[in-house]
Amino acid sequence: MRFGSFDDEQREYVINRPDTPLPWINYLGTEAYFGIISNTAGGYSFYKDARLRRLTRYRYNNAPLDAGGRYIYLRDNNPAKPFYWSPTWQPTRTALDKYECRHGMGYTKIKSELAGIVSESTYFVPLGENLEIWSLTLTNNRAESADLSVFSAIEFCLWDAVDDSNNFQRNYSIGEMEILDGVIYHKSEYRERRNHFAYFACSEPLTGFDTQREDFLGAYRGWDTPLAVEKGASAQSVAAGWQPIGSHHVRVELQPGASRQIIFLLGYQENPVSDKFDPPDSQTINKKSVKPIIERYLQPAEAAAAFQALRVYWTGLLDKLRVNTPDADTNRMVNIWNAYQMMITFNFSRSASYFESGIGRGMGFRDSNQDLLGFTHLIPERARQRILDLAATQLPSGGAYHQYQPMTKLGNNDIGGNFNDDPLWLVLSVSTYLKETGDWSILNEQVPFDNQPGSEQPLYNHLQRSIGYTTDRLGPHNLPLIGRADWNDCLNLNCFSDTPGQSFQTTTSKDGTVAESVFIAGLFVLAAAEMIGIANQLGNRAEAAAYETEKAKIEGAINTAGWDGEWFRRAYDNFSQPLGSIECTEGQIYIEPQGMCVMAGLGVENGNAQKALDSVAKRLASEHGIVLLQPAYKKYYLHIGEISSYPPGYKENGSVFCHTNPWVMIAETKIGRGDQAFDYYKRINPSARQDLSELHRCEPYVYAQMISGTEAVKPGEAKNSWLTGTAAWNYVAITQWILGIRPTFDGLQVAPVIPTTWQGFEAERTFRGVHYQIEVKRQGPGNQVSLEVDGKPVPGSVIPLPAEGVKQVQVKANIW
Ligand code: BGC
Ligand code: NOJ
């Protein structure tokens, strides 16, 4: 069953009923001002940091679901018994005659009709501005005129979302507002150490307003039955303490067939500390800088132009890679939604979604590095800055803080380091950047360790230390020590936690000198190969040779201690017993080492890769994707930690943990099995699962972190949508390995491993300022490539970089 459909032309997902299985959300904002918005206008807004600079409140885990949002109420004043409703369905949930929500690239439109009154609202953040626009158009489809009241409503957050939700003894006394010329200003704490405020403006003259929640709602009432709306009159309340809100009341008289546009602005503004008040000796906000902004965007023409600019901006980004394959789900994910989701994961890491509360984690080191593997071609300059920020949190040992705070950019001491895979991901993100841009200057950037002034070293030195961090920490089988965990945060082999509430990520009971990770070994081989490539490009032959030696040593350890006979083992625990082995009763085979080791090239020559991938197909693959491990752990094991804390089939304990599936897809391409790779790709492609929406529950336009696995109570149900490394990795798998268009140090490579039934495909790719038009044609059943570049045959599969000044290149790739 579906709850909507894709409009690929408009790059929108169109939801046609409001009661989706879960709120289906979208993101507003591009660089600093952000919002989350659901298909019924739920959600919240913040400036830069969802915890520290939260503008509006949202209630997670609440009933009814999705409480807190950008609410509009319409009240029909005509009838003897006036009535009101929410044109976005929430919060009144009045049955609407028509409803449609369109989530697009950085905007959401919700259109509905009730009793002949059509409402269309568009929500977006203009590029470069710290505000969001709600543009509301009302149309009267009745034969007689309509007398309507429009009420807006938002609830302000007192900035720090954690403090806001627990420090009531103080917070109920600090709320302060100003209302001037129809603009509602929220200025709690502005009198003391803050130099920022929020504002909520409306383009129409006001009939009334409210800024005190209980005056608007009425005591003991909820957002579904506000007293002011019921009565058709605001209370003109000015909040002093308690719960500051913003609500405008506008009266609209509409002739039959007539329309009226009303614009609301919700924004954030900072003033210089020395110029906060006007007059200077008062406590009144200085509005000089904000007034022109408000005036500008309350004009319909300016709002329309800003919306148009946002559309153009996204066209430019998405045009960087466009494909036309025989498969519609592939085309729409690659050309639209997967690229869009990568922008969102780049901006938010794992901080703010309907599953990440925005008050928890900062930016993950491994997460952000992996996000860059797919994101970099979209905006290379922002990728460059992110790499330098991440590297600056690296520790002198080469290890890394597991997370850092986006506002301060400092490593997070609460969680610390010792996740032993972390530093290796930096090598992969940097090599992705180098291949994409050819900007070798980044390696010379002076970057501190742990952000300590005076500790600066060239970025290249950070990469060297990343590699050294692994080789300095080998265990009894010459495999890398795992530390607190590797990519799988829940495989906690040194933790041994027996106390409720302890963090599995930070509790460490063992000295960590025994437990080893085959996954990190595979990741090391992959990263070492990239380092060898970089060192060779720099002419550091001796260094490259040294990496070859280290790489061969780890490969040897994987081929012996890491090989189980039919697949790669996962790890060795604190007692030096294998995990992911036929010798185990549960957790006999894990997906991560199969994907990672084969991606790194292990077993490709001697047939072990094929054996491992056949084992994946036989033991892990399901109709909903490839599960993480099998059999799932049925009880809690002290010596393996959080992974066994989850019921079977959920999260790391045997769900389809989507992040890992593309590793297997890429591995399949390494042994030339395009049919199998693409089959796996389709199983978790959200668009291809659209018909399963009732089961899948999450949005059909973006990847979710997990889909419950074969051993779950209910297999096939997705959770934790949007913020997951799945976005970048699936994009890499389909575009770079299945379609085979990938940047290399020496030029763009075209080496597809596509399904045998495909006759070919077309692609357009902007790479280092050159536009490549690529046509792939199947001439035989295999994966051999012969290239013709601008009409001339070229040996191999890499298109040599064109001469200076060439902006267009035509590529024909025949595959045999
Ligand atoms: C989750 C992991 C996550 C970790 C750290 C665990 O509870 O299952 O997916 O990486 O917490 O936040
Ligand atoms: C989510 C975390 O953000 C990521 O860092 C980790 O690799 C996966 N969970 C698997 O545990």
Side-chain angles (χ1 to χ4, degrees):
M1 182 183 167
R2 297 183 178 191
F3 293 80
S5 57
F6 287 92
D7 181 342
D8 294 336
E9 195 66 26
Q10 294 299 320
R11 301 190 298 244
E12 290 171 339
Y13 190 79
V14 190
I15 302 167
N16 53 29
R17 49 188 283 186
D19 55 341
T20 45
L22 292 167
W24 283 1
I25 69 163
N26 192 15
Y27 285 81
L28 309 177
T30 348
E31 277 190 58
Y33 184 103
F34 294 111
I36 306 183
I37 183 163
S38 75
N39 58 310
T40 60
Y44 62 90
S45 300
F46 59 94
Y47 175 72
K48 285 192 179 169
D49 187 313
R51 170 177 173 171
L52 296 175
R53 230 19 89 74
R54 184 79 69 98
L55 301 191
T56 57
R57 284 186 178 150
Y58 184 78
R59 289 175 182 78
Y60 283 91
N61 196 12
N62 206 48
L65 206 57
D66 201 16
R70 301 171 180 80
Y71 294 146
I72 290 169
Y73 302 87
L74 298 180
R75 183 179 191 272
D76 190 342
N77 301 323
N78 270 346
K81 197 166 179 290
F83 63 97
Y84 64 90
W85 72 98
S86 300
T88 61
W89 195 59
Q90 284 265 54
T92 68
R93 294 193 303 285
T94 314
L96 298 162
D97 298 336
K98 286 186 191 157
Y99 162 90
E100 182 186 271
C101 167
R102 289 176 172 262
H103 283 318
M105 307 286 105
Y107 66 87
T108 288
K109 291 184 175 187
I110 304 176
K111 192 173 175 182
S112 71
E113 183 166 347
L114 185 76
I117 303 299
V118 178
S119 146
E120 186 166 9
S121 38
T122 304
Y123 306 85
F124 70 100
V125 175
L127 293 170
E129 299 290 357
N130 295 324
L131 61 91
E132 64 188 65
I133 294 182
W134 315 357
S135 163
L136 171 72
T137 302
L138 298 173
T139 304
N140 179 9
N141 273 352
R142 298 175 180 168
E144 65 278 4
S145 73
D147 170 13
L148 302 172
S149 276
V150 180
F151 292 86
S152 63
I154 51 158
E155 184 172 6
F156 289 108
C157 178
L158 302 179
W159 311 119
D160 179 333
V162 173
D163 188 72
D164 182 66
S165 58
N166 64 36
N167 194 9
F168 305 123
Q169 60 79 26
R170 168 178 161 86
N171 293 344
Y172 285 1
S173 293
I174 65 169
E176 285 192 291
M177 315 294 298
E178 281 178 32
I179 299 113
L180 185 73
D181 301 333
V183 184
I184 292 166
Y185 296 89
H186 173 225
K187 60 166 191 176
S188 300
E189 291 191 342
Y190 190 77
R191 58 167 49 246
E192 29 134 338
R193 292 153 297 174
R194 294 189 184 273
N195 64 327
H196 58 83
F197 57 90
Y199 57 90
F200 191 33
C202 172
S203 61
E204 296 291 299
L206 302 191
T207 304
F209 65 86
D210 272 302
T211 66
Q212 177 65 271
R213 191 181 70 193
E214 266 57 51
D215 286 321
F216 177 70
L217 295 182
Y220 296 98
R221 286 173 174 239
W223 293 97
D224 53 344
T225 53
L227 190 63
V229 179
E230 190 179 293
K231 291 200 303 204
S234 306
Q236 327 291 81
S237 57
V238 180
W242 297 115
Q243 323 283 1
I245 64 157
S247 172
H248 309 97
H249 176 197
V250 173
R251 198 81 185 237
V252 180
E253 185 79 37
L254 277 182
Q255 295 310 309
S259 288
R260 176 84 63 84
Q261 184 184 7
I262 305 174
I263 294 175
F264 297 96
L265 304 180
L266 173 61
Y268 169 90
Q269 184 74 5
E270 289 177 359
N271 269 337
V273 176
S274 56
D275 203 14
K276 277 168 56 169
F277 302 108
D278 181 26
D281 58 355
S282 75
Q283 293 289 294
T284 311
I285 299 174
N286 177 353
K287 305 184 184 69
K288 269 193 229 86
S289 64
V290 79
K291 266 197 172 149
I293 302 175
I294 297 177
E295 275 162 25
R296 175 171 173 197
Y297 288 104
L298 285 179
Q299 296 170 42
E302 289 285 348
F307 184 71
Q308 200 44 38
L310 182 66
R311 297 275 285 177
V312 170
Y313 171 79
W314 269 103
T315 303
L317 288 182
L318 297 179
D319 275 353
K320 299 209 167 167
L321 173 60
R322 295 187 53 82
V323 302
N324 181 18
T325 76
D327 183 67
D329 298 311
T330 302
N331 297 344
R332 93 168 34 112
M333 288 310 292
V334 171
N335 295 338
I336 306 170
W337 291 99
N338 197 172
Y340 182 60
Q341 189 179 1
M342 289 198 300
M343 176 69 121
I344 304 299
T345 57
F346 173 83
N347 276 330
F348 294 86
S349 186
R350 309 296 172 262
S351 68
S353 74
Y354 270 20
F355 298 90
E356 303 282 4
S357 63
I359 57 178
R361 303 197 274 165
M363 309 283 279
F365 190 89
R366 77 158 84 89
D367 295 330
S368 293
N369 277 302
Q370 287 174 88
D371 292 343
L372 290 171
L373 305 183
F375 170 83
T376 297
H377 73 289
L378 290 177
I379 315 181
E381 310 74 52
R382 289 188 74 193
R384 189 182 206 273
Q385 187 57 50
R386 178 62 54 77
I387 287 172
L388 299 176
D389 289 348
L390 285 163
T393 68
Q394 202 177 9
L395 298 159
S397 65
Y401 278 105
H402 196 47
Q403 290 160 10
Y404 76 96
Q405 292 310 123
M407 262 210 155
T408 61
K409 296 193 175 177
L410 297 178
N412 182 346
N413 273 316
D414 295 342
I415 181 137
N418 295 333
F419 294 77
N420 284 352
D421 63 314
D422 272 339
L424 290 172
W425 298 107
L426 181 68
V427 178
L428 298 192
S429 67
V430 171
S431 101
T432 295
Y433 177 80
L434 293 172
K435 289 174 180 171
E436 181 64 41
T437 61
D439 167 23
W440 291 83
S441 75
I442 193 174
L443 293 179
N444 301 328
E445 288 285 344
Q446 293 287 322
V447 184
F449 288 90
D450 194 4
N451 278 295
Q452 292 303 312
S455 67
E456 291 82 0
Q457 288 289 325
L459 177 65
Y460 188 60
N461 179 264
H462 285 252
L463 304 187
Q464 292 168 319
R465 291 197 201 184
S466 290
I467 294 283
Y469 181 84
T470 309
T471 52
D472 288 350
R473 286 170 183 71
L474 300 183
H477 299 90
N478 266 330
L479 291 165
L481 293 170
I482 196 167
R484 284 179 162 157
D486 59 23
W487 171 88
N488 191 330
D489 271 324
C490 302
L491 196 58
N492 315 118
L493 304 181
N494 295 303
C495 172
F496 288 75
S497 171
D498 55 9
T499 307
Q502 273 183 337
S503 158
F504 287 107
Q505 273 72 50
T506 56
T507 305
T508 306
S509 308
K510 302 292 166 190
D511 68 3
T513 55
V514 181
E516 301 164 290
S517 164
V518 179
F519 174 82
I520 299 182
L523 176 59
F524 177 84
V525 173
L526 194 67
E530 295 305 318
M531 268 311 264
I532 292 164
I534 295 171
N536 278 329
Q537 292 279 327
L538 295 174
N540 301 342
R541 306 273 170 222
E543 194 184 337
Y547 294 138
E548 291 281 9
T549 309
E550 303 283 8
K551 176 170 167 272
K553 188 166 141 195
I554 302 280
E555 282 170 344
I558 297 176
N559 286 331
T560 50
W563 182 248
D564 198 57
E566 294 293 322
W567 55 78
F568 293 98
R569 292 183 168 178
R570 178 62 177 86
Y572 283 89
D573 65 18
N574 177 62
F575 311 105
S576 250
Q577 294 303 305
L579 279 99
S581 161
I582 195 76
E583 292 169 22
C584 308
T585 47
E586 295 170 326
Q588 290 181 331
I589 171 171
Y590 280 67
I591 192 173
E592 303 102 304
Q594 323 313 326
M596 189 48 80
C597 292
V598 179
M599 277 205 290
L602 282 135
V604 174
E605 309 268 274
N606 67 9
N608 281 356
Q610 185 168 334
K611 266 193 197 162
L613 295 177
D614 286 346
S615 300
V616 169
K618 199 160 107 205
R619 306 193 46 153
L620 298 177
S622 83
E623 58 173 316
H624 299 296
I626 312 167
V627 300
L628 191 142
L629 58 78
Q630 182 274 331
Y633 297 103
K634 306 294 182 302
K635 59 176 195 180
Y636 177 61
Y637 294 98
L638 198 60
H639 69 291
I640 60 173
E642 183 170 4
I643 192 165
S644 62
S645 75
Y646 287 111
Y650 293 93
K651 293 281 280 178
E652 281 84 345
N653 191 15
S655 78
V656 175
F657 211 94
C658 297
H659 187 137
T660 62
N661 279 223
W663 297 341
V664 174
M665 299 169 204
I666 298 171
E668 287 287 354
T669 68
K670 293 273 181 183
I671 61 166
R673 300 200 297 201
D675 284 321
Q676 184 65 284
F678 188 69
D679 178 11
Y680 290 145
Y681 172 74
K682 283 284 278 205
R683 292 188 205 194
I684 63 165
N685 179 312
S687 160
R689 292 175 60 78
Q690 189 186 199
D691 287 338
L692 298 180
S693 286
E694 226 170 344
L695 171 66
H696 186 85
R697 301 189 78 206
C698 285
E699 298 90 336
Y701 40 92
V702 290
Y703 287 97
Q705 183 198 60
M706 61 155 271
I707 301 172
S708 52
T710 35
E711 296 181 69
V713 175
K714 192 174 169 203
E717 188 186 357
K719 269 184 207 151
N720 304 2
S721 55
W722 282 97
L723 302 184
T724 159
T726 311
W729 272 110
N730 270 284
Y731 191 85
V732 169
I734 185 70
T735 64
Q736 299 194 14
W737 297 96
I738 299 177
L739 301 180
I741 300 174
R742 55 181 177 265
T744 72
F745 295 127
D746 308 314
L748 195 62
Q749 186 165 18
V750 182
V753 184
I754 53 177
T756 39
T757 52
W758 283 18
Q759 291 316 302
F761 67 91
E762 288 149 21
E764 288 179 65
R765 172 72 149 87
T766 305
F767 174 67
R768 302 198 197 176
V770 180
H771 182 85
Y772 290 81
Q773 202 134 22
I774 303 165
E775 196 186 343
V776 174
K777 277 222 165 92
R778 185 178 277 301
Q779 311 286 4
N783 304 310
Q784 292 295 341
V785 181
S786 53
L787 285 186
E788 218 179 76
V789 179
D790 285 331
K792 294 192 199 75
V794 157
S797 59
V798 178
I799 310 158
L801 293 169
E804 275 289 313
V806 175
K807 290 280 159 231
Q808 294 273 347
V809 172
Q810 298 279 343
V811 183
K812 283 215 164 97
N814 287 320
I815 46 177
W816 306 86

